[in-house]
Amino acid sequence: MRKKIVAGNWKMNNDLVATNTLISELLKKEKTSNAEVMIAPTFVNLLEASKLLKDSSIIVAAQNMHFAENGAYTGEISATMLKSVGVNTVILGHSERREYFNEADNLLKLKVDKALEEEMKIIFCFGEKWEDRSVGNHFMVVESQIRNALFHLEDENWESIVLAYEPVWAIGTGQTASPEQAQEMHAFIRNLVKEHYNSAISEEVSILYGGSVKPENAKEIFGKNDVDGGLIGGAALNADNFIAIVNAF
Ligand code: PEP
């Protein structure tokens, strides 16, 4: 059975003190669902988060990484560096990376390959902009993002992949995709994986929804057949809200 996952993307929020505080609050909350829980703090606080969560079931993920082993890439972080601070999961392809840092499919493919070579797990994000959806191009855009960065992978690589559909128009805007829109796209994605690979892989891969998920709408979205969890931005910065979303399963 495929995994249910709720992952919090903290983005460029929370300094060291705030990281400590939020993690200790999360640890005090009662978790009533069996969803896997992840948080992705900023790079400089990953070591602290790893230490604080060493004995808990909460997984620490990074928000990005570079594709090279090491070298002259000022300001960048490698997979080996992440692993050295206890981080074995990485978010790749977030729309903010694509939009503000020009991360395109060919670069993301290199990052995916490096993460897999380093035996890391990947939350791979993709999603259409409003201008795509408004002219009916959303399926085409999502298909090409997935095809270009992931469809060269071998069957066994898919054990390390989690997909995250994040319509750009719903991220941080308060405007959530309707549960029906999310389900429609998730079913499309699962079918795409089935057609390119097989139904064993498509039925096993977790597909998360991201875009203004809150405690008030999580249950309805997570209730859809092909929605296996969420990638949460704003609401992940508050322990009550985040755990309420986790417990929506
Ligand atoms: C995100 O950044 O991945 C995200 C879904 O943000 P928000 O929940 O704030 O829309």
PDB file of all heavy atoms in Angstrom, residues 9 11 94 96 166 170-173 210-213 231-235, ligand 1:
ATOM      1  N   ASN A   9       7.199  22.347   4.079  1.00  0.00           N
ATOM      2  CA  ASN A   9       8.287  23.083   3.446  1.00  0.00           C
ATOM      3  C   ASN A   9       8.375  24.445   4.132  1.00  0.00           C
ATOM      4  O   ASN A   9       7.517  25.298   3.922  1.00  0.00           O
ATOM      5  CB  ASN A   9       7.983  23.239   1.947  1.00  0.00           C
ATOM      6  CG  ASN A   9       8.977  24.137   1.248  1.00  0.00           C
ATOM      7  OD1 ASN A   9      10.055  24.431   1.784  1.00  0.00           O
ATOM      8  ND2 ASN A   9       8.631  24.581   0.049  1.00  0.00           N
ATOM      9  N   LYS A  11      10.511  26.758   3.712  1.00  0.00           N
ATOM     10  CA  LYS A  11      11.055  27.810   2.825  1.00  0.00           C
ATOM     11  C   LYS A  11      12.095  28.651   3.580  1.00  0.00           C
ATOM     12  O   LYS A  11      12.762  28.144   4.463  1.00  0.00           O
ATOM     13  CB  LYS A  11       9.923  28.677   2.256  1.00  0.00           C
ATOM     14  CG  LYS A  11       8.773  27.849   1.710  1.00  0.00           C
ATOM     15  CD  LYS A  11       7.816  28.662   0.895  1.00  0.00           C
ATOM     16  CE  LYS A  11       6.620  27.806   0.513  1.00  0.00           C
ATOM     17  NZ  LYS A  11       5.780  28.409  -0.468  1.00  0.00           N
ATOM     18  N   HIS A  94      10.812  22.516  -6.800  1.00  0.00           N
ATOM     19  CA  HIS A  94       9.762  23.401  -6.263  1.00  0.00           C
ATOM     20  C   HIS A  94       9.551  24.575  -7.218  1.00  0.00           C
ATOM     21  O   HIS A  94      10.512  25.096  -7.800  1.00  0.00           O
ATOM     22  CB  HIS A  94      10.138  23.901  -4.860  1.00  0.00           C
ATOM     23  CG  HIS A  94       8.986  24.553  -4.175  1.00  0.00           C
ATOM     24  ND1 HIS A  94       8.636  25.864  -4.425  1.00  0.00           N
ATOM     25  CD2 HIS A  94       8.080  24.071  -3.283  1.00  0.00           C
ATOM     26  CE1 HIS A  94       7.563  26.157  -3.699  1.00  0.00           C
ATOM     27  NE2 HIS A  94       7.204  25.092  -2.994  1.00  0.00           N
ATOM     28  N   GLU A  96       9.127  27.611  -6.747  1.00  0.00           N
ATOM     29  CA  GLU A  96       9.913  28.820  -6.441  1.00  0.00           C
ATOM     30  C   GLU A  96      11.348  28.670  -6.936  1.00  0.00           C
ATOM     31  O   GLU A  96      11.980  29.651  -7.334  1.00  0.00           O
ATOM     32  CB  GLU A  96       9.850  29.108  -4.929  1.00  0.00           C
ATOM     33  CG  GLU A  96       8.477  29.648  -4.548  1.00  0.00           C
ATOM     34  CD  GLU A  96       8.024  29.293  -3.133  1.00  0.00           C
ATOM     35  OE1 GLU A  96       8.862  28.924  -2.303  1.00  0.00           O
ATOM     36  OE2 GLU A  96       6.802  29.387  -2.871  1.00  0.00           O
ATOM     37  N   GLU A 166       1.879  20.589  -7.475  1.00  0.00           N
ATOM     38  CA  GLU A 166       1.673  21.889  -6.851  1.00  0.00           C
ATOM     39  C   GLU A 166       1.321  22.927  -7.917  1.00  0.00           C
ATOM     40  O   GLU A 166       2.227  23.542  -8.506  1.00  0.00           O
ATOM     41  CB  GLU A 166       2.945  22.324  -6.123  1.00  0.00           C
ATOM     42  CG  GLU A 166       3.342  21.397  -4.999  1.00  0.00           C
ATOM     43  CD  GLU A 166       4.130  22.157  -3.934  1.00  0.00           C
ATOM     44  OE1 GLU A 166       5.169  22.738  -4.270  1.00  0.00           O
ATOM     45  OE2 GLU A 166       3.672  22.194  -2.793  1.00  0.00           O
ATOM     46  N   ALA A 170      -1.843  28.094  -6.880  1.00  0.00           N
ATOM     47  CA  ALA A 170      -2.411  27.795  -5.558  1.00  0.00           C
ATOM     48  C   ALA A 170      -1.367  27.903  -4.449  1.00  0.00           C
ATOM     49  O   ALA A 170      -1.698  27.787  -3.282  1.00  0.00           O
ATOM     50  CB  ALA A 170      -3.006  26.386  -5.564  1.00  0.00           C
ATOM     51  N   ILE A 171      -0.108  28.135  -4.811  1.00  0.00           N
ATOM     52  CA  ILE A 171       0.941  28.153  -3.790  1.00  0.00           C
ATOM     53  C   ILE A 171       1.012  29.519  -3.122  1.00  0.00           C
ATOM     54  O   ILE A 171       1.268  30.529  -3.780  1.00  0.00           O
ATOM     55  CB  ILE A 171       2.313  27.783  -4.393  1.00  0.00           C
ATOM     56  CG1 ILE A 171       2.259  26.359  -4.930  1.00  0.00           C
ATOM     57  CG2 ILE A 171       3.415  27.918  -3.347  1.00  0.00           C
ATOM     58  CD1 ILE A 171       3.543  25.876  -5.530  1.00  0.00           C
ATOM     59  N   GLY A 172       0.772  29.513  -1.815  1.00  0.00           N
ATOM     60  CA  GLY A 172       0.892  30.743  -1.032  1.00  0.00           C
ATOM     61  C   GLY A 172      -0.144  31.793  -1.385  1.00  0.00           C
ATOM     62  O   GLY A 172      -0.028  32.944  -0.984  1.00  0.00           O
ATOM     63  N   THR A 173      -1.166  31.409  -2.134  1.00  0.00           N
ATOM     64  CA  THR A 173      -2.150  32.394  -2.584  1.00  0.00           C
ATOM     65  C   THR A 173      -3.444  32.309  -1.792  1.00  0.00           C
ATOM     66  O   THR A 173      -4.295  33.198  -1.902  1.00  0.00           O
ATOM     67  CB  THR A 173      -2.523  32.147  -4.069  1.00  0.00           C
ATOM     68  OG1 THR A 173      -3.035  30.804  -4.165  1.00  0.00           O
ATOM     69  CG2 THR A 173      -1.324  32.299  -4.983  1.00  0.00           C
ATOM     70  N   GLY A 210       0.069  20.019  -3.195  1.00  0.00           N
ATOM     71  CA  GLY A 210       0.538  21.203  -2.483  1.00  0.00           C
ATOM     72  C   GLY A 210      -0.086  22.457  -3.057  1.00  0.00           C
ATOM     73  O   GLY A 210      -0.213  22.606  -4.282  1.00  0.00           O
ATOM     74  N   GLY A 211      -0.465  23.375  -2.193  1.00  0.00           N
ATOM     75  CA  GLY A 211      -1.049  24.638  -2.642  1.00  0.00           C
ATOM     76  C   GLY A 211      -2.143  25.058  -1.687  1.00  0.00           C
ATOM     77  O   GLY A 211      -3.284  24.595  -1.795  1.00  0.00           O
ATOM     78  N   SER A 212      -1.748  25.883  -0.679  1.00  0.00           N
ATOM     79  CA  SER A 212      -2.706  26.444   0.283  1.00  0.00           C
ATOM     80  C   SER A 212      -3.522  25.384   1.019  1.00  0.00           C
ATOM     81  O   SER A 212      -4.715  25.576   1.261  1.00  0.00           O
ATOM     82  CB  SER A 212      -3.623  27.464  -0.410  1.00  0.00           C
ATOM     83  OG  SER A 212      -2.839  28.525  -0.929  1.00  0.00           O
ATOM     84  N   VAL A 213      -2.878  24.271   1.373  1.00  0.00           N
ATOM     85  CA  VAL A 213      -3.561  23.295   2.233  1.00  0.00           C
ATOM     86  C   VAL A 213      -3.580  23.851   3.649  1.00  0.00           C
ATOM     87  O   VAL A 213      -2.583  24.382   4.142  1.00  0.00           O
ATOM     88  CB  VAL A 213      -2.851  21.918   2.216  1.00  0.00           C
ATOM     89  CG1 VAL A 213      -3.552  20.956   3.182  1.00  0.00           C
ATOM     90  CG2 VAL A 213      -2.829  21.342   0.805  1.00  0.00           C
ATOM     91  N   LEU A 231       2.138  18.564   0.495  1.00  0.00           N
ATOM     92  CA  LEU A 231       3.339  19.365   0.732  1.00  0.00           C
ATOM     93  C   LEU A 231       2.803  20.723   1.188  1.00  0.00           C
ATOM     94  O   LEU A 231       2.045  21.383   0.462  1.00  0.00           O
ATOM     95  CB  LEU A 231       4.171  19.480  -0.549  1.00  0.00           C
ATOM     96  CG  LEU A 231       5.489  20.240  -0.445  1.00  0.00           C
ATOM     97  CD1 LEU A 231       6.381  19.696   0.665  1.00  0.00           C
ATOM     98  CD2 LEU A 231       6.256  20.145  -1.773  1.00  0.00           C
ATOM     99  N   ILE A 232       3.175  21.085   2.395  1.00  0.00           N
ATOM    100  CA  ILE A 232       2.528  22.215   3.051  1.00  0.00           C
ATOM    101  C   ILE A 232       3.529  23.344   3.239  1.00  0.00           C
ATOM    102  O   ILE A 232       4.602  23.123   3.820  1.00  0.00           O
ATOM    103  CB  ILE A 232       1.997  21.796   4.459  1.00  0.00           C
ATOM    104  CG1 ILE A 232       1.360  20.387   4.444  1.00  0.00           C
ATOM    105  CG2 ILE A 232       1.042  22.845   5.023  1.00  0.00           C
ATOM    106  CD1 ILE A 232       0.165  20.226   3.558  1.00  0.00           C
ATOM    107  N   GLY A 233       3.182  24.547   2.805  1.00  0.00           N
ATOM    108  CA  GLY A 233       4.055  25.702   2.997  1.00  0.00           C
ATOM    109  C   GLY A 233       3.646  26.485   4.232  1.00  0.00           C
ATOM    110  O   GLY A 233       3.991  26.137   5.359  1.00  0.00           O
ATOM    111  N   GLY A 234       2.886  27.549   4.039  1.00  0.00           N
ATOM    112  CA  GLY A 234       2.511  28.471   5.117  1.00  0.00           C
ATOM    113  C   GLY A 234       1.992  27.786   6.371  1.00  0.00           C
ATOM    114  O   GLY A 234       2.421  28.108   7.489  1.00  0.00           O
ATOM    115  N   ALA A 235       1.099  26.832   6.207  1.00  0.00           N
ATOM    116  CA  ALA A 235       0.471  26.197   7.379  1.00  0.00           C
ATOM    117  C   ALA A 235       1.441  25.296   8.140  1.00  0.00           C
ATOM    118  O   ALA A 235       1.141  24.889   9.267  1.00  0.00           O
ATOM    119  CB  ALA A 235      -0.763  25.407   6.946  1.00  0.00           C
TER     120      ALA A 235
HETATM  121  C1  PEP B   1       4.645  25.043  -1.059  1.00  0.00           C
HETATM  122  O1  PEP B   1       5.420  25.981  -1.022  1.00  0.00           O
HETATM  123  O2  PEP B   1       5.054  23.925  -1.397  1.00  0.00           O
HETATM  124  C2  PEP B   1       3.256  25.288  -0.695  1.00  0.00           C
HETATM  125  C3  PEP B   1       2.367  24.388  -1.014  1.00  0.00           C
HETATM  126  O3  PEP B   1       2.969  26.470  -0.058  1.00  0.00           O
HETATM  127  P1  PEP B   1       1.548  26.909   0.578  1.00  0.00           P
HETATM  128  O4  PEP B   1       1.044  25.738   1.372  1.00  0.00           O
HETATM  129  O5  PEP B   1       1.871  28.081   1.438  1.00  0.00           O
HETATM  130  O6  PEP B   1       0.656  27.225  -0.562  1.00  0.00           O
END
